[in-house]
Amino acid sequence: MTRKAIVLLSGGLDSTTVLAHAKSEGFEPYALSFRYGQRHVVELQAAQRVAEAQGVKNHVVCDIDLRVFGGSALTADVDVPKHESVDQVEENIPVTYVPARNTVFLSFALAYAEVLGSTDIFIGVNALDYSGYPDCRPEYIQAFEAMANLATRAGVEGGVIKIHTPLMDKTKGEIVQMGLALGVDYGLTSSCYDPDDAGHACGHCDSCLLRLKGFADAGSHDPVTYQGV
């Protein structure tokens, strides 16, 4: 019997790789994306392309508005930091951090999983080549998983809810290699925090620089279009 899994799908490099991985592990994926007031809303178009290409069972786009709180360059009138090289990416928590975003997203995924009768949730968090987000750390995922098994019908009735993080200990280069081996078309994805109106990546935000480093380390070429190129 095929096991259902919720896959959090932003349309970026990491979540797309996780979706392909979940399929390779024999799961039937149900993709969950969010329109949360992000400035880089073009990522939802990428998520739709990826979901169609990967043949997910269903793709839900959930509307929530984190702009009512702001507090991030992605949800408020705050400039997205730009750098000339990946070496300039800050190790401290950057202004692109969206407060409690992964907790919000995982909570919705948990509710969706219960409705579907699934005990498996996949998320593309990473503790190595990432931008210092506190909700991408393994101890956070472990804590959320423990909470999920206390707070749901599935958990108290004997099911074991699992938060899968297959990218947690991988570099961006290793993630790219993993995706390419799984046949991922990264030309369908979008990672930029500040794309132009045509969806072209800026090439200088933290996300772009880490993505470009990943492709370089993997000895591959990033197929998406960058501004001015």
Side-chain angles (χ1 to χ4, degrees), residues 8-226:
L8 289 171
L9 180 65
S10 70
L13 185 151
D14 291 345
S15 67
T16 299
T17 306
V18 167
L19 173 57
H21 170 78
K23 287 184 60 182
S24 75
E25 292 290 299
F27 287 93
E28 181 179 54
Y30 289 72
L32 178 60
S33 304
F34 293 90
R35 185 181 292 105
Y36 62 92
Q38 66 269 49
R39 69 164 65 216
H40 55 310
V41 71
V42 296
E43 71 175 1
L44 289 176
Q45 298 170 10
Q48 184 63 43
R49 293 193 297 265
V50 169
E52 291 176 358
Q54 292 282 351
V56 302
K57 182 67 174 181
N58 193 32
H59 181 207
V60 172
V61 179
C62 188
D63 285 287
I64 52 178
D65 192 359
L66 297 183
R67 291 177 299 181
V68 299
F69 306 127
S72 168
L74 303 188
T75 57
D77 189 17
V78 178
D79 290 338
V80 172
K82 305 290 180 67
H83 309 288
E84 290 303 314
S85 75
V86 72
D87 296 331
Q88 297 173 339
V89 174
E90 297 181 17
E91 293 185 2
N92 297 325
I93 299 173
V95 72
T96 51
Y97 163 66
V98 179
R101 181 176 61 180
N102 280 348
T103 302
V104 172
F105 288 1
L106 281 169
S107 296
F108 274 77
L110 188 58
Y112 191 23
E114 281 219 282
V115 171
L116 291 177
S118 169
T119 56
D120 296 280
I121 298 171
F122 285 78
I123 183 171
V125 292
N126 174 260
L128 294 181
D129 284 346
Y130 77 119
S131 296
Y133 298 153
D135 52 2
C136 288
R137 297 173 299 158
E139 53 265 46
Y140 162 73
I141 295 296
Q142 291 163 8
F144 189 95
E145 186 176 271
M147 182 279 296
N149 280 285
L150 291 171
T152 58
R153 174 183 291 179
V156 300
E157 291 185 350
V160 179
I161 295 167
K162 173 67 176 175
I163 311 297
H164 299 261
T165 57
L167 308 186
M168 182 63 78
D169 299 318
K170 295 185 181 296
T171 66
K172 267 289 189 287
E174 289 171 339
I175 293 168
V176 171
Q177 289 176 332
M178 175 182 175
L180 293 175
L182 291 170
V184 170
D185 179 1
Y186 286 118
L188 301 176
T189 67
S190 176
S191 301
C192 181
Y193 290 151
D194 194 23
D196 63 19
D197 291 340
H200 299 156
C202 74
H204 295 284
C205 68
D206 291 2
S207 185
C208 280
L209 290 170
L210 290 169
R211 176 182 173 119
L212 286 166
K213 178 180 184 296
F215 276 94
D217 289 348
S220 186
H221 171 72
D222 187 353
V224 303
T225 302
Y226 286 83

